[in-house]
Amino acid sequence: MLSNLEQQPADALLALIKLHGEDPRADKIDLGVGVYRTGQGATPVFGAIKAAEQKLVDTQDSKSYLGPEGDMGFVHALMPYIFGQDDPAKGGRIEGMQTPGGTGAVRLTVALAKRAGVGRIIMGLPSWPNHAQILGDLAVELVSFKHAGTDGKVDMDALRAAISGGQSGDAIMLHGCCHNPTGIDYSNAQWDEIAALIAAKGLLPILDLAYQGLGAGLEEDAYGVRKVLDAVPEALIAYSCDKNFGMYRDRVGAIYVMAENSEVLGRVLTNGFALARAAWSMPPDHGGAAVRLILEDPGLTAMWLDELDTMRTRISQVRAKLAAAGQAGSIDLTPLGHQNGLFSVLPLSSEQIQTLRSDHGIYMAGSGRVNIAGLTAGNIDKFIADLAVVSG
Ligand code: PMP
């Protein structure tokens, strides 16, 4: 039977990590994989996480099973940050469960939506490639629209048309902030309009918040999610702590459900538990427990907020430097200054991307997506100069 399986392509980004690793050039630049890097090019464990992990080692007295919902202390501790200090559970209409990373959360939002009868999900492209893969794997139809124009701005007309073409039983997937891959986010005024349009059309919003705190700030980055939740009766939210706590490999995430009332909410969650049980039984505990220990301790919370702020500030400084460079050959870098988060897409051809890799040791995804945090004071000038040469 197994020989029936066809060869699948390697994950393009993971293949890129390997290629970069094998490149002997000392001045090579990795703009591929989506992790934060310091000005020295490192992706260190947060100090707050180290301290929480030590506390966990010292105090954890059992590794016995939890339930499919995971660590509910973790799930609840995050809620004020996502939904606001003022009634984060919206009078008992929001509850969550822990998931293996944001990926597990996205998968569960789509699986739950499908169980509820959703057959199509409206989503802007380009998007995080795994969104479409998850939809494909769960046999939910993707109805796509163009997220942004060549001017580096959100294509609001395309979004309006996609929403107005929505049918009963459709959901819409939106990035809460720091759009991956474009970095092109909705303004607050655009979120106001989007929330009203979604509510008027009766679409089920699925909001993916994987980078809270890496854009304009923790509160600012939650604007869209909160605005949509204020406008609609029900929604699904996928959350990742893997970037804003630097926990990538520890797989820390959560799904939140907002239902029209607590009775429906309870029923939705039992479906979430059943789906989780059949897929991964329960999420890995360690990372969620460490995040909970941070959020339960004001000193560690302050330390985490400070580290998050350092990340956010560095990303925006690199963006400002790129924007200030203006034109690099045929590439206008100025829009990168007002884009958000780790990523932006450069309008390069595949040949140009290939030449940057082979002739200049600059590694980026085949889509032209660059990880802004891969740029440092030591390599940014070379990057801009090489970009100018190649895009000439
Ligand atoms: N959603 C988006 C938009 C992402 O970019 C990512 C991570 N690249 C995720 C979800 C999943 O995050 P995690 O690593 O926590 O699975």
Side-chain angles (χ1 to χ4, degrees):
M1 291 307 297
L2 298 182
S3 63
N4 292 335
L5 294 173
E6 282 169 22
Q7 185 72 27
Q8 299 294 316
D11 182 276
L13 272 177
L14 300 182
L16 201 66
I17 298 178
K18 194 158 176 279
L19 279 178
H20 176 265
E22 288 164 356
D23 188 333
R25 283 172 284 191
D27 62 351
K28 62 187 176 179
I29 305 178
D30 180 10
L31 306 178
V33 65
V35 299
Y36 173 75
R37 292 189 199 283
T38 63
Q40 288 69 44
T43 306
V45 181
F46 282 31
I49 287 288
K50 278 279 185 206
E53 286 180 317
Q54 191 56 56
K55 213 166 167 176
L56 196 57
V57 168
D58 293 343
T59 58
Q60 193 172 51
D61 50 17
S62 173
K63 289 198 184 282
S64 168
Y65 291 121
L66 295 175
E69 72 281 10
D71 182 333
M72 289 305 286
F74 154 76
V75 170
H76 290 154
L78 277 173
M79 288 175 68
Y81 293 94
I82 310 170
F83 305 113
Q85 303 285 338
D86 184 26
D87 192 19
K90 286 205 180 286
R93 289 174 52 225
I94 299 184
E95 182 56 287
M97 55 189 282
Q98 191 185 339
T99 56
T103 305
V106 170
R107 171 133 194 141
L108 205 48
T109 61
V110 177
L112 268 177
K114 183 175 179 173
R115 260 201 184 195
V118 167
R120 311 193 317 166
I121 296 184
I122 300 167
M123 188 175 79
L125 289 181
S127 190
W128 178 47
N130 218 11
H131 277 149
Q133 285 169 191
I134 289 170
L135 263 57
D137 194 40
L138 289 168
V140 174
E141 188 185 337
L142 164 61
V143 181
S144 68
F145 64 91
K146 192 146 108 317
H147 173 65
T150 43
D151 56 358
K153 296 204 176 97
V154 167
D155 190 337
M156 276 305 279
D157 286 338
L159 175 58
R160 289 185 193 109
I163 294 177
S164 99
Q167 301 165 3
S168 144
D170 285 351
I172 181 165
M173 171 84 77
L174 295 169
H175 297 226
C177 69
C178 304
H179 186 269
N180 179 5
T182 66
I184 301 170
D185 284 343
Y186 304 117
S187 68
N188 288 357
Q190 287 169 334
W191 274 117
D192 295 350
E193 182 186 346
I194 293 164
L197 291 174
I198 291 175
K201 196 72 191 182
L203 301 175
L204 173 68
I206 302 179
L207 305 165
D208 185 5
L209 194 54
Y211 300 90
Q212 190 186 8
L214 274 72
L218 262 184
E219 281 290 298
E220 292 84 346
D221 291 350
Y223 183 90
V225 167
R226 294 182 195 172
K227 194 74 199 181
V228 172
L229 296 191
D230 280 345
V232 299
E234 52 182 24
L236 298 169
I237 301 97
Y239 194 86
S240 174
C241 294
D242 290 326
K243 316 299 179 328
N244 58 6
F245 286 85
M247 293 297 273
Y248 316 92
R249 71 174 67 159
D250 276 334
R251 317 303 305 129
V252 190
I255 177 177
Y256 293 90
V257 179
M258 184 178 84
E260 54 190 306
N261 59 49
S262 57
E263 187 266 323
V264 178
L265 178 61
R267 257 190 297 139
V268 179
L269 287 166
T270 61
N271 283 271
F273 300 154
L275 286 164
R277 187 85 179 110
W280 53 73
S281 186
M282 64 195 64
D285 178 69
H286 178 86
V291 168
R292 170 175 52 75
L293 288 174
I294 290 175
L295 298 179
E296 282 172 358
D297 179 322
L300 290 182
T301 300
M303 195 170 166
W304 164 61
L305 290 173
D306 194 46
E307 294 183 276
L308 183 57
D309 217 44
T310 302
M311 280 169 69
R312 191 181 52 72
T313 308
R314 187 178 120 63
I315 294 168
S316 57
Q317 280 167 351
V318 176
R319 287 191 172 282
K321 177 127 200 232
L322 290 168
Q327 203 73 23
S330 66
I331 308 290
D332 180 11
L333 292 172
T334 49
L336 275 67
H338 53 252
Q339 294 168 0
N340 283 321
L342 286 179
F343 308 116
S344 285
V345 175
L346 300 177
L348 293 163
S349 68
S350 12
E351 291 74 30
Q352 289 169 328
I353 291 167
Q354 185 54 46
T355 307
L356 279 165
R357 190 182 307 168
S358 55
D359 296 6
H360 302 275
I362 296 175
Y363 288 75
M364 66 179 70
S367 60
R369 187 191 84 165
V370 288
N371 175 12
I372 298 295
L375 295 169
T376 65
N379 68 21
I380 194 166
D381 293 334
K382 167 185 158 56
F383 169 71
I384 295 168
D386 291 352
L387 196 58
V389 169
V390 171
S391 72

